[in-house]
């Protein structure tokens, strides 16, 4: 049986591999190749689902830290403000990214460049701003029990299955122009 931390680690590794795949694919450009359409849509669907889950987890983490601390010192306020700033920026980029993915579905090839631009901006934001940050990570490590981590993660069998299906779909739709980009061992 897989432990919660192993499950979370696997999910995070798959997300990182998809983010790296998206970064590489949009840097290479589709050049108007329509075989990129279903692939990009699959990438978009994976990123939306994964980033929505991460957002919910991080919001829960911030709320839990606030409840557990009751009184916030300057370091906690700073850490929580930074978390809020990162999450707000992520949601703004995710909104633009999702609109570009939806345009692929409605406009087809005409929306490929828009998707590539939105994706490049979003993946750059993720690399620069998301992930573990000292302030909130340290607070959570100090304050949370195993039960708190499980609650925050909120992992269900249905979500785990969906995440794995979305991951597999991305690689199943890999255009031949990107055939050298095989899935990382996760």
């Amino acid at each position: 049986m897989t432990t919660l931390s192993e499950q979370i680690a696997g999910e995070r590794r798959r997300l990182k591999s998809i983010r790296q795949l998206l970064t590489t694919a949009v840097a290479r450009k589709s050049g108007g190749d329509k075989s990129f359409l279903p692939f990009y849509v699959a990438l978009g669907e994976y990123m939306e689902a994964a980033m929505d889950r991460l957002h919910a987890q991080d919001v829960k983490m911030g709320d839990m830290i606030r409840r557990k601390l009751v009184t916030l010192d300057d370091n906690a306020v700073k850490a929580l403000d930074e978390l809020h700033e990162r999450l707000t920026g992520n949601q703004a980029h995710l909104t633009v990214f999702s609109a570009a993915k939806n345009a692929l579905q409605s406009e087809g090839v005409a929306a490929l460049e828009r998707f590539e631009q939105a994706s490049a901006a979003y993946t750059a934001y993720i690399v620069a701003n998301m992930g573990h940050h000292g302030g909130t990570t340290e607070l959570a490590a100090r304050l949370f029990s195993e039960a708190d981590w499980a609650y925050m993660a909120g992992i269900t069998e249905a979500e785990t299955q969906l995440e794995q299906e979305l991951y597999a779909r991305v690689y199943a739709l890999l255009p031949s122009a990107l055939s050298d980009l095989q899935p990382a061992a996760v």
Side-chain angles (χ1 to χ4, degrees):
M1 175 165 222
T2 307
T3 67
L4 175 65
S5 60
E6 290 169 337
Q7 220 174 336
I8 292 169
E11 191 175 298
R12 298 287 166 109
R13 280 191 303 274
R14 287 187 296 277
L15 172 58
K16 183 178 180 181
S17 78
I18 291 292
R19 194 255 319 139
Q20 290 171 332
L21 176 62
L22 177 60
T23 300
T24 301
V26 300
R28 289 187 186 179
K29 308 270 188 229
S30 64
D33 181 345
K34 68 180 181 181
S35 72
F36 277 71
L37 288 170
F39 170 67
Y40 279 167
V41 169
L43 278 166
E45 288 171 349
Y46 182 92
M47 291 296 293
E48 287 169 334
M51 296 310 284
D52 281 345
R53 281 189 30 74
L54 285 177
H55 181 79
Q57 290 169 351
D58 285 349
V59 167
K60 257 193 235 182
M61 178 178 64
D63 291 345
M64 291 168 66
I65 288 171
R66 282 183 193 84
R67 281 194 304 274
K68 286 186 176 286
L69 283 178
V70 182
T71 303
L72 303 177
D73 63 21
D74 290 343
N75 289 335
V77 168
K78 181 181 179 198
L80 291 167
D81 285 349
E82 288 172 356
L83 174 65
H84 175 74
E85 209 173 289
R86 287 191 314 274
L87 293 177
T88 300
N90 182 67
Q91 289 306 104
H93 279 278
L94 182 57
T95 298
V96 171
F97 174 79
S98 293
K101 182 214 53 151
N102 292 340
L104 288 174
Q105 294 171 300
S106 61
E107 299 169 27
V109 172
L112 283 169
E113 188 175 330
R114 175 180 170 194
F115 180 81
E116 290 168 342
Q117 290 171 350
S119 298
Y122 189 31
T123 58
Y125 182 84
I126 291 169
V127 169
N129 297 286
M130 302 305 285
H132 293 288
H133 288 269
T136 50
T137 301
E138 289 167 16
L139 285 168
R142 181 168 49 94
L143 297 169
F144 292 1
S145 67
E146 252 335 280
D148 291 329
W149 286 105
Y151 169 75
M152 189 188 80
I155 293 177
T156 66
E157 282 187 41
E159 285 175 329
T160 298
Q161 182 177 349
L162 176 62
E163 185 268 338
Q164 291 172 351
E165 288 171 3
L166 291 172
Y167 180 85
R169 185 179 322 148
V170 167
Y171 284 101
L173 294 169
L174 194 67
S176 60
L178 301 175
S179 62
D180 61 307
L181 302 175
Q182 295 305 311
V186 291

